[in-house]
Amino acid sequence: MITPMQAFSMERIILAVLSSAYGLTFILYCPPQTRFKKAIKTSGFVLHILAVALHTFLLFLRITSARHLPVVGLYESLLFFSWCVSFVFLVLSWRNGTFPYGRGVAVASWVTVLTLFIMHVANLKKALPRYLEPVLGTARFEPHVVLAFLAYAGLTLAFFAAVTALVREETLKAQREAVSEFYLWPGVILLTASLVMGSALSRLAWGSWWVWEPKMIFSLVTWILFVLALALKREGRVGRRAFPWLVIAGFVLIILTFFVANRGVHDFL
Amino acid sequence: MKPANKPGGVAPITLALLASVLVLAAVLVTGSFIKGFFSSVVFYAIVALVGLGLGTLFVWRMVVGPRRASGFAIASAHGKVRKLKWNGLLGYLGGSALILGLVVILAAAAWGTVFGVRRELILTEGEIQPLDKESLDSLYLEKLAFAYYVGTGVPSDNQALVRVRIDAKASWDTVGVNAPIRKGANRIYITGYGTSTDSIYLTFLLKYPEGDTLPYEAPPTTKGLIEDPRFPFFAAFQDFHIDSSHVWPNPMVPEVTVNLLWPGILVSSKRMRAPDSVSVGPYTLYFQGFKYRPAVTFLYVKDQSWILAFAGAGLVFLGLTLGFISRMVQRFGGSS
């Protein structure tokens, strides 16, 4: 059995290996024009699966050392978010046209894990496990946060596809928008579920099913923008033109929600 | 008639919806930086407008929706209405459920604002307060207890033993974080705790030249506290402060400036942080810490709007799920 201290001390070396694995995955996802192109890409995909498996083990270690789901504080949030992005990509990679976005996912995971490794080396205090606030000690907390992170992962993938859909060529644009929409649906449904769980948590802790504080407002606006994007997708020229921009705007809001809007009852970052 | 979703067509309603939602988003984001915005009349007016708009959209959708090829994809071709395919119908129902869900949530918010009762009570141990101005219901705080993470001073939970009187029935109850008291439609939550400023006592140990020690307690503003005939000084305290910037090893460390006076002469003045000590001649004063009666913040809520709100959320969730299924079937099932 691994003790919490052992688990924490193993994190650094695994972060180093994991960062290299994601980096190599990214390289394999961008093969040169050779007859082995497909084989290289496939090996990249296999390596991505192995990297996610290792990332899952790292999360297990973190749970062992922190004694709670690793979603408290910046370090743990990034660790969990990067896992979510890769995991959601792999789960939804059966859809035709999604594979090229593996590059974006791999590079995002690579940069994030590398940042965490640097944080672990340069500022160990930031990487130390934190105690859970009493208000978070409820069974409603974990589903709320896990759903939110999985939603953010799906919406990040939708953002990648939306950015690439900003092209003039109509067929390519339509294909990429379809991929963005494919990622957007589960993302929005999970975000809705997360908001509902958060509302249930808020009612249990503060007696109110909605609190007007920055993170909740930003999440609501994000939700509104993404739902609007889905609703207008097939509503004529205006809707189709607005779609990628609404997805991009929604993603910008996610970033703001995650890093800026942390006052009030969500002051845990 | 030209169908609204014909590629290249610009439907005014789409443009209006897009513009109004973007304005609403901007207002909400801006409002989060303005204090008191979400309890202002302007905000309530905006919410009422949004609710009215959504309600109208829902009715309009119910009335004309099945005959037009839009929204969440009702099957149609060249402006002619076709019999709805099951996935198209799912999409239509999904979109309608989503809009209805939003209307229900806004109605719940209005219900809670108008009919809900919320009152914050700050009680120290041994204190009683009425729950509601218009009734005889009351809350009495007997004791607050903390649980800590093992080996630290970091609280993991706090619970209060209270006596609640609601509808002429009194009972002893325990209220904790995430464990409110439920009495019919009444809920009592513990939302915070702190120190009651008028109940703080500083605690010291004074060591005499002979070697024996005696404990002393005094409020932080007391002057001339130590009056033991064997101690020749007067003590005065200034700038009492509780440092709660560190959670470990002790989340609350008291600081105070201790002035020791000989009549007319300031013998010693030292900013002390527990467990500092100060020596004057053969005497040593040890600052041990402080005692206080905790003040607990309770929230009394009588509000059933959450039932409506979660019903609305369920409708929204159902709507999105139906829309998703409909869309996936349309894309991969070869349907229209």
Side-chain angles (χ1 to χ4, degrees), chain A residues 196-218:
Chain A
V196 174
M197 280 307 297
S199 186
L201 174 62
S202 168
R203 199 180 91 79
L204 184 70
W206 301 291
S208 177
W209 52 271
W210 186 262
V211 181
W212 288 106
E213 57 98 37
K215 201 182 266 295
M216 289 174 80
I217 296 163
F218 275 62

Side-chain angles (χ1 to χ4, degrees), chain A residues 95 131-132 134-135 138 178 181 185 189 192 203-207 209 212 217-218 221 223-224 234-235 237-238, chain B residues 5 9-10 15 21 28 38 43 70-71 73 118 149 152 156 177-178 189 299 305-306 320 324 327 331-332:
Chain A
R95 165 73 160 83
Y131 290 108
L132 216 53
V135 76
T138 163
E181 189 188 359
W185 273 107
I189 290 173
T192 310
R203 199 180 91 79
L204 184 70
W206 301 291
W209 52 271
W212 288 106
I217 296 163
F218 275 62
V221 174
W223 183 87
I224 290 172
R234 279 154 290 145
E235 288 285 344
R237 199 173 65 196
V238 175
Chain B
N5 71 335
V10 179
L15 210 56
V21 172
L28 287 174
F38 293 103
F43 177 67
S70 108
R118 302 175 68 82
Y149 286 105
T152 71
S156 61
V177 177
N178 295 326
Y189 298 85
L299 184 69
S305 68
W306 64 273
L320 283 169
F324 177 55
R327 190 67 186 133
R331 288 206 66 82
F332 302 108

Side-chain angles (χ1 to χ4, degrees), chain B residues 95-120:
Chain B
S96 304
L98 173 73
I99 297 168
L100 182 62
L102 291 175
V103 173
V104 170
I105 289 172
L106 288 175
W111 179 274
T113 306
V114 177
F115 300 108
V117 176
R118 302 175 68 82
R119 184 159 183 250
E120 199 171 75

Side-chain angles (χ1 to χ4, degrees), chain B residues 5-333:
Chain B
N5 71 335
K6 186 182 173 185
V10 179
I13 191 160
T14 310
L15 210 56
L17 188 66
L18 180 64
S20 53
V21 172
L22 288 178
V23 168
L24 177 69
V27 167
L28 287 174
V29 169
T30 313
S32 67
F33 296 103
I34 301 170
K35 201 177 175 184
F37 175 76
F38 293 103
S39 53
S40 66
V41 179
V42 176
F43 177 67
Y44 290 138
I46 291 169
V47 172
L49 264 177
V50 171
L52 209 62
L54 281 170
T56 311
L57 187 64
F58 178 72
V59 171
W60 175 77
R61 199 180 158 85
M62 284 287 107
V63 174
V64 302
R67 288 189 283 115
R68 87 182 261 276
S70 108
F72 282 81
I74 304 302
S76 124
H78 310 297
K80 290 182 181 175
V81 178
R82 288 196 311 187
K83 190 179 177 183
L84 294 173
K85 290 191 175 178
W86 69 269
N87 59 327
L89 183 64
L90 272 190
Y92 172 71
L93 290 176
S96 304
L98 173 73
I99 297 168
L100 182 62
L102 291 175
V103 173
V104 170
I105 289 172
L106 288 175
W111 179 274
T113 306
V114 177
F115 300 108
V117 176
R118 302 175 68 82
R119 184 159 183 250
E120 199 171 75
L121 302 104
I122 299 172
L123 275 80
T124 52
E125 287 177 357
E127 191 179 355
I128 188 168
Q129 277 189 29
L131 283 177
D132 192 354
K133 286 174 188 169
E134 295 163 4
S135 71
L136 295 171
D137 298 343
S138 62
L139 181 70
Y140 167 75
L141 173 63
E142 173 73 16
K143 183 79 185 165
L144 176 70
F146 294 92
Y148 297 96
Y149 286 105
V150 179
T152 71
V154 184
S156 61
D157 194 10
N158 53 69
Q159 290 188 325
L161 178 64
V162 294
R163 190 162 176 81
V164 188
R165 185 180 187 276
I166 290 177
D167 297 333
K169 288 179 188 168
S171 61
W172 285 102
D173 286 288
T174 304
V175 54
V177 177
N178 295 326
I181 296 172
R182 297 178 171 92
K183 302 271 181 194
N186 304 279
R187 299 276 189 280
I188 296 169
Y189 298 85
I190 186 166
T191 57
Y193 64 89
T195 52
S196 167
T197 47
D198 59 355
S199 72
I200 293 175
Y201 276 79
L202 304 178
T203 59
F204 294 91
L205 272 181
L206 179 62
K207 188 178 173 191
Y208 290 89
E210 296 82 8
D212 52 341
T213 54
L214 279 177
Y216 287 97
E217 285 183 12
T221 51
T222 301
K223 289 186 178 179
L225 153 73
I226 300 173
E227 294 177 347
D228 190 290
R230 292 177 297 171
F231 186 56
F233 304 106
F234 293 100
F237 306 108
Q238 282 180 330
D239 305 327
F240 175 68
H241 166 70
I242 298 171
D243 180 8
S244 47
S245 60
H246 302 284
V247 290
W248 192 89
N250 193 344
M252 293 199 291
V253 181
E255 291 180 350
V256 69
T257 301
V258 179
N259 297 321
L260 295 177
L261 307 144
W262 182 261
I265 304 166
L266 180 64
V267 180
S268 164
S269 178
K270 184 180 178 182
R271 184 78 182 155
M272 294 176 80
R273 184 181 163 88
D276 288 350
S277 63
V278 59
S279 295
V280 182
Y283 301 93
T284 308
L285 192 65
Y286 296 94
F287 183 24
Q288 284 190 304
F290 70 110
K291 288 180 181 173
Y292 64 95
R293 279 185 300 147
V296 186
T297 308
F298 293 99
L299 184 69
Y300 168 64
V301 178
K302 194 174 182 180
D303 181 9
Q304 296 285 66
S305 68
W306 64 273
I307 300 170
L308 206 55
F310 284 110
L315 276 173
V316 168
F317 194 76
L318 176 74
L320 283 169
T321 310
L322 290 179
F324 177 55
I325 294 168
S326 163
R327 190 67 186 133
M328 288 302 110
V329 171
Q330 279 168 16
R331 288 206 66 82
F332 302 108

Side-chain angles (χ1 to χ4, degrees), chain A:
Chain A
M1 193 64 194
I2 306 169
T3 64
M5 279 303 290
Q6 285 171 334
F8 181 72
S9 58
M10 284 166 73
E11 269 180 29
R12 191 175 294 182
I13 184 75
I14 293 177
L15 279 171
V17 174
L18 190 59
S19 163
S20 311
Y22 279 130
L24 192 58
T25 302
F26 171 65
I27 292 165
L28 291 174
Y29 274 151
C30 312
Q33 291 293 343
T34 65
R35 62 195 176 101
F36 302 114
K37 189 176 174 182
K38 196 174 179 186
I40 295 171
K41 275 189 173 181
T42 308
S43 58
F45 189 70
V46 172
L47 184 61
H48 202 166
I49 293 172
L50 292 174
V52 170
L54 184 65
H55 205 149
T56 310
F57 177 65
L58 183 60
L59 290 178
F60 163 76
L61 287 179
R62 188 69 187 185
I63 291 169
T64 307
S65 62
R67 311 275 179 104
H68 56 73
L69 203 71
V71 288
V72 179
L74 183 65
Y75 176 86
E76 290 184 356
S77 302
L78 288 176
L79 186 67
F80 190 60
F81 176 69
S82 53
W83 178 86
C84 285
V85 174
S86 278
F87 177 76
V88 170
F89 167 74
L90 292 178
V91 168
L92 297 180
S93 60
W94 52 270
R95 165 73 160 83
N96 196 19
T98 54
F99 198 78
Y101 299 102
R103 286 175 233 164
V105 173
V107 82
S109 296
W110 180 22
V111 170
T112 310
V113 173
L114 193 63
T115 308
L116 294 175
F117 174 72
I118 292 167
M119 201 186 271
H120 214 284
V121 173
N123 193 350
L124 191 64
K125 200 177 172 186
K126 290 268 181 196
L128 284 171
R130 281 163 55 174
Y131 290 108
L132 216 53
E133 301 251 350
V135 76
L136 302 180
T138 163
R140 296 181 193 188
F141 168 64
E142 270 112 3
H144 163 59
V145 182
V146 169
L147 286 168
F149 275 95
L150 287 173
Y152 285 166
L155 299 171
T156 303
L157 290 166
F159 163 74
F160 287 159
V163 169
T164 58
L166 296 173
V167 290
R168 285 186 181 278
E169 214 274 291
E170 280 297 323
T171 317
L172 210 57
K173 186 180 173 70
Q175 278 174 1
R176 289 172 178 176
E177 281 183 359
V179 173
S180 182
E181 189 188 359
F182 171 74
Y183 285 131
L184 200 53
W185 273 107
V188 169
I189 290 173
L190 288 168
L191 185 62
T192 310
S194 168
L195 285 172
V196 174
M197 280 307 297
S199 186
L201 174 62
S202 168
R203 199 180 91 79
L204 184 70
W206 301 291
S208 177
W209 52 271
W210 186 262
V211 181
W212 288 106
E213 57 98 37
K215 201 182 266 295
M216 289 174 80
I217 296 163
F218 275 62
S219 297
L220 176 68
V221 174
T222 307
W223 183 87
I224 290 172
L225 288 182
F226 284 130
V227 168
L228 186 70
L230 286 175
L232 296 186
K233 179 76 169 57
R234 279 154 290 145
E235 288 285 344
R237 199 173 65 196
V238 175
R240 279 190 295 113
R241 282 198 176 175
F243 178 79
W245 292 108
L246 284 171
V247 175
I248 291 167
F251 181 76
V252 171
L253 267 179
I254 287 179
I255 298 292
L256 292 175
T257 308
F258 195 72
F259 289 107
V260 179
N262 286 310
R263 287 178 288 127
V265 296
H266 280 97
D267 188 16
F268 305 125
L269 206 65

